[in-house]
C-alpha cells in the first residue's frame, strides 16, 4: 500500500476547508437562528416559556406611597398662608399579580383578568401604617365641586346645611392604613354617593382594591403578528374609553407585560394605564445596564402630560375643551367625577402654576420620572418605575359659605406613588444564558473551527512548498513477500 504526500495534502486542504466553512456558516447563521427561536418563544400560548412569565409575573414588584402632610391647616382655613406640605413615607407594599379567567380567542387574542394583591413591607417602610396624616377632606371637597358643576340653588343650599350640621372642615387627620386600603367612615360619603356614582361605603384611595382586578383585558398573543404581542385589543369589551374625546379615547399599547422585540431607538413604547383611562407613550432615553443585562431605557418625557400647549394632538385630553396648565391630566371623568388631577411627583415638568399654590414641592427627575427598561432583543421589561401624583382641585364655590372666600385655585397634592420592579437573579440568569452565554459559546466554537481549518490548510500549504523544493521526498510503504 502506498500513501503519497499529495494525498495527505489533499486531505488536509479538504478537511481544513470543510471545518472552516462550517465554523463560518455557524458564525453567520446562528444569530438569525437564535432570533427566530426567541421570536417563536415570545408568542403567548399555553406551555410556552413566555406564558409562565406572563401568567404569574415573577419579577418582584413594590409600590411605595408618599403622603403630603399639611403642617399649617389653621393658616389655610384662615386664608393667611399657602399650604405648607411635608412628605411622609415611603409606605411600602409588595405587589403580586395573577391572571385568571384566561380564554384563548380565535382572532389571535387572549382574554383575562389580572388579580392584584398588596402585602405590607415594614422593613422597607419609613414610619408605620399608624402614622397620622393631616390631609384634604376629599369627600367634602368633591361634594362641593360636584355641586358647583350642577349649579343648582337647592344643591348649594343642601350642601351648605350639611357641612354646617356636620361641622365639616377642609381637613381630616387619619392614619395611613385608613387612607390607603382600610378606608374610613365619613358621613359625607352618603352625600357624595347621592351626587356621584360611587360604589364604596368608606373613603380610602385604594379601599376595596386589594385582591381585585382592573377589568377584563383582551390582548394579542403574537401568533398572527409578533409586532402586536401583548397589545391591548379591548378593555372591558371596548376599544375606546368614554373619559376623553377622539382620538384620545382610543385604547392602544401594551398591557404592561411585554413589547415586540427588536425595537429601535426611534420607536416609541406605548402602555395603556387603567388608573388614568389612557395610554402613555415612552421615548428612548439611553442604553442602561440592569444587573448585567443591556437594556433600552424609555421614559415619559416632559411633554407627555401636555394638554395641547406643546402638542396640539393632546387637546382632546381636555374635558369639554377646557384645558389645564401643561403637566396635569384631568381624570375626573375616569374617577367617578372626583376633582382629581394626575401629575408627575412634586409637579415634575409641570407648569409653575401648580407648584406656586403650595410650599414644599421638590421635583427631581432622578427620583420622580417614569421609565421602562426593556431588553431590545426580546421586548421583556427588566426594570420599571411608574410614578404618579394624585392632586385635588381646591377652589372657590361662591354659593357655599364654607368655600366662598377661597381666593385662587389650588391643585392640592395628596399623595404620590412609585411602583418599581427589577428582574431578580433567576430571571437575569435565564436572560444572560440566552443573550450572552449561548451566543458567546457559539462564537468561540465558530472561531475555533475556523482556526483549526485555517491551521490544516496552512499545514497543507507548507507541506506542498517543502515537497516542491525537494526537501521532502515521497515516502512509500513497500510490502514484500518471501518466496
Amino acid at each position: 500500500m502506498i500513501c503519497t504526500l499529495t494525498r495527505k495534502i489533499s486531505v488536509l486542504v479538504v478537511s481544513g476547508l470543510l471545518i472552516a466553512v462550517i465554523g463560518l456558516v455557524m458564525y453567520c447563521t446562528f444569530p438569525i437562528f437564535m432570533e427566530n427561536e426567541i421570536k417563536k418563544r415570545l408568542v403567548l400560548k399555553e406551555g410556552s416559556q413566555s406564558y409562565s412569565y406572563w401568567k404569574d409575573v415573577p419579577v418582584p414588584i413594590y409600590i411605595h406611597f408618599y403622603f403630603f402632610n399639611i403642617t399649617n391647616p389653621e393658616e389655610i382655613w384662615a386664608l393667611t398662608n399657602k399650604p405648607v406640605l411635608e412628605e411622609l413615607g415611603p409606605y411600602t407594599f409588595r405587589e403580586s399579580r395573577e391572571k385568571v379567567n384566561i380564554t384563548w380567542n380565535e382572532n389571535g387574542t387572549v382574554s383575562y383578568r389580572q388579580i392584584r394583591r398588596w402585602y405590607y413591607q415594614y422593613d422597607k417602610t419609613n414610619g408605620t401604617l399608624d402614622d397620622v396624616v393631616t390631609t384634604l377632606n376629599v369627600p367634602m371637597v368633591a361634594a362641593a365641586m360636584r355641586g358647583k358643576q350642577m349649579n343648582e340653588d337647592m344643591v348649594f343650599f343642601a350642601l351648605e346645611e350639611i357641612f354646617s350640621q356636620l361641622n365639616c372642615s377642609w381637613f381630616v387627620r387619619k392614619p395611613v392604613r385608613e387612607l390607603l386600603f382600610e378606608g374610613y367612615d365619613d358621613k359625607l360619603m352618603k352625600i357624595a354617593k347621592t351626587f356621584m356614582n360611587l360604589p364604596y361605603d368608606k373613603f380610602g384611595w385604594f379601599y376595596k382594591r386589594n385582591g381585585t382586578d382592573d377589568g377584563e383585558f383582551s390582548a394579542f398573543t403574537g401568533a398572527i403578528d409578533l409586532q402586536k404581542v401583548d397589545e391591548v385589543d379591548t378593555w372591558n369589551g371596548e376599544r375606546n374609553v368614554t373619559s376623553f374625546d377622539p382620538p384620545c379615547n382610543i385604547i392602544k399599547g401594551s398591557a404592561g407585560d411585554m413589547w415586540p422585540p427588536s425595537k429601535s431607538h426611534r420607536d416609541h413604547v406605548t402602555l395603556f394605564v387603567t388608573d388614568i383611562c389612557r395610554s402613555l407613550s415612552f421615548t428612548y432615553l439611553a442604553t442602561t445596564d440592569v444587573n448585567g443585562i443591556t437594556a433600552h431605557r424609555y421614559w415619559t418625557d416632559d411633554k407627555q402630560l401636555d394638554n395641547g400647549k406643546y402638542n396640539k394632538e393632546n387637546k382632546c385630553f381636555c374635558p369639554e375643551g377646557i384645558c389645564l396648565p401643561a403637566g396635569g391630566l384631568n381624570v375626573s371623568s375616569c374617577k367617578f367625577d372626583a376633582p382629581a388631577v394626575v401629575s408627575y411627583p412634586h409637579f415634575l415638568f409641570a407648569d409653575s402654576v401648580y407648584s406656586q399654590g403650595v410650599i414644599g414641592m421638590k421635583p427631581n427627575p432622578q427620583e420622580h420620572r417614569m421609565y421602562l427598561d426593556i431588553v431590545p432583543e426580546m421586548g421583556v421589561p427588566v426594570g420599571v418605575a411608574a410614578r404618579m401624583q394624585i392632586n385635588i382641585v381646591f377652589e372657590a364655590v361662591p354659593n357655599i359659605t364654607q368655600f366662598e372666600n377661597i381666593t385662587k385655585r389650588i391643585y392640592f397634592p395628596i399623595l404620590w406613588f412609585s411602583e418599581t420592579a427589577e428582574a431578580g437573579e433567576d430571571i437575569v440568569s435565564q436572560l444572560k444564558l440566552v443573550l450572552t452565554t449561548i451566543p458567546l459559546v457559539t462564537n468561540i466554537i465558530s472561531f475555533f473551527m475556523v482556526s483549526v481549518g485555517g491551521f490544516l490548510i496552512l499545514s497543507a500549504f507548507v507541506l506542498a512548498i517543502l515537497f516542491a523544493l525537494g526537501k521532502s521526498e515521497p515516502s512509500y510503504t513497500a510490502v514484500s513477500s518471501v518466496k
Side-chain angles (χ1 to χ4, degrees), residues 252-462:
K252 58 184 177 180
S254 169
D257 295 302
M258 57 197 302
W259 283 265
S262 306
K263 286 278 189 181
S264 73
H265 295 174
R266 296 183 298 274
D267 294 326
H268 286 219
V269 170
T270 307
L271 173 68
F272 178 67
V273 184
T274 58
D275 283 331
I276 58 176
C277 301
R278 64 162 285 188
S279 299
L280 294 175
S281 180
F282 294 70
T283 56
Y284 174 79
L285 178 64
T287 298
T288 186
D289 182 278
V290 181
N291 293 329
I293 299 294
T294 300
H296 289 172
R297 174 162 290 183
Y298 297 85
W299 70 308
T300 51
D301 60 24
D302 55 342
K303 305 297 189 299
Q304 184 59 209
L305 294 182
D306 169 48
N307 284 350
K309 180 178 180 180
Y310 302 102
N311 184 355
K312 300 303 180 184
E313 294 181 358
N314 284 351
K315 193 88 172 174
C316 49
F317 284 119
C318 304
E320 301 179 356
I322 302 174
C323 292
L324 296 176
L329 177 68
N330 187 339
V331 294
S332 58
S333 56
C334 179
K335 294 299 178 184
F336 312 107
D337 292 325
V341 173
V342 166
S343 68
Y344 294 130
H346 288 255
F347 296 127
L348 176 69
F349 303 138
D351 190 289
S352 60
V353 70
Y354 290 101
S355 57
Q356 287 173 355
V358 297
I359 298 173
M361 297 294 97
K362 300 175 182 178
N364 183 340
Q366 298 301 320
E367 296 179 3
H368 301 144
R369 68 186 174 194
M370 183 184 298
Y371 66 82
L372 301 169
D373 292 332
I374 299 176
V375 179
E377 298 90 342
M378 305 179 72
V380 175
V382 290
V384 175
R387 293 160 175 159
M388 283 288 178
Q389 180 170 300
I390 300 174
N391 313 279
I392 296 296
V393 177
F394 183 72
E395 63 183 357
V397 183
N399 302 86
I400 300 178
T401 301
Q402 292 85 351
F403 288 85
E404 64 183 2
N405 293 326
I406 298 173
T407 56
K408 62 180 296 186
R409 171 183 284 191
I410 297 176
Y411 299 93
F412 223 112
I414 304 297
L415 66 96
W416 69 275
F417 63 87
S418 176
E419 193 169 38
T420 60
E422 189 169 293
E425 287 296 327
D426 52 342
I427 301 297
V428 169
S429 298
Q430 294 178 35
L431 291 173
K432 284 182 177 180
L433 176 65
V434 174
L435 300 175
T436 305
T437 305
I438 293 178
L440 178 62
V441 171
T442 303
N443 286 342
I444 291 174
I445 293 174
S446 299
F447 283 123
F448 177 75
M449 293 180 71
V450 172
S451 299
V452 169
F455 176 75
L456 293 177
I457 294 172
L458 181 62
S459 299
F461 181 70
V462 170

Side-chain angles (χ1 to χ4, degrees), residues 65 88-92 120-132 176:
F65 295 100
L88 302 181
Y91 303 95
T92 304
Y120 178 55
Q121 306 289 299
Y122 68 90
D123 58 325
K124 297 181 182 293
T125 294
N126 180 21
T128 73
L129 295 182
D130 293 316
D131 291 349
V132 177
V176 171

Side-chain angles (χ1 to χ4, degrees), residues 226-243:
L226 190 60
Q227 289 304 307
K228 299 181 72 173
V229 64
D230 202 44
E231 181 178 320
V232 178
D233 181 37
T234 63
W235 178 46
N236 292 327
E238 303 291 339
R239 289 189 171 89
N240 302 304
V241 296
T242 58
S243 305

Side-chain angles (χ1 to χ4, degrees), residues 141-159:
V141 175
M145 295 301 108
R146 182 58 176 160
K148 185 176 184 179
Q149 290 178 348
M150 297 176 70
N151 195 26
E152 295 180 6
D153 291 339
M154 285 298 296
V155 174
F156 291 136
F157 176 78
L159 287 175

